[in-house]
Amino acid sequence: VLFDGGVRRGTDVLKALALGADLVCVGRPVAWGLACSGEEGVGHMLRLLTEELRTAMMLAGCPDVRAAQRRELVQLPGEPPPRPVPALAKL
């Protein structure tokens, strides 16, 4: 599943992965970085996005991107509440 559109922050990437995305596209923030500072601006934007994703994953208890793909991170309308992440239940 390819997720494209509306991705502005690392938390947006995490939500897309939790909803089942295999790939998350980031278009507009790249264009903003390019417009502001060229290649250096794109690199800076990607570093910021990566750091935001890492922070969001740590707060959600995801040790890696594969763990972020678990549906336990998101409760869809009409579904029962998510189960605790097993790694966090032992803490």
Side-chain angles (χ1 to χ4, degrees):
V1 174
L2 178 77
F3 187 93
D4 187 18
V7 176
R8 304 290 183 266
R9 300 180 194 97
T11 52
D12 297 330
V13 175
L14 182 61
K15 289 180 228 177
L17 292 171
L19 288 168
D22 297 309
L23 179 77
V24 181
C25 299
V26 182
R28 193 166 295 172
V30 170
W32 291 336
L34 185 63
C36 288
S37 301
E39 183 179 344
E40 191 175 307
V42 172
H44 181 67
M45 183 281 311
L46 291 173
R47 286 188 295 279
L48 287 174
L49 189 67
T50 301
E51 186 59 33
E52 288 176 356
L53 175 59
R54 285 186 180 139
T55 300
M57 287 174 57
M58 284 190 289
L59 291 171
C62 298
D64 57 27
V65 174
R66 278 183 235 123
Q69 293 177 336
R70 293 190 200 135
R71 296 210 30 176
E72 288 91 11
L73 295 177
V74 177
Q75 180 179 356
L76 298 174
E79 289 187 347
R83 294 168 298 183
V85 177
L88 295 178
K90 295 178 184 178
L91 295 178

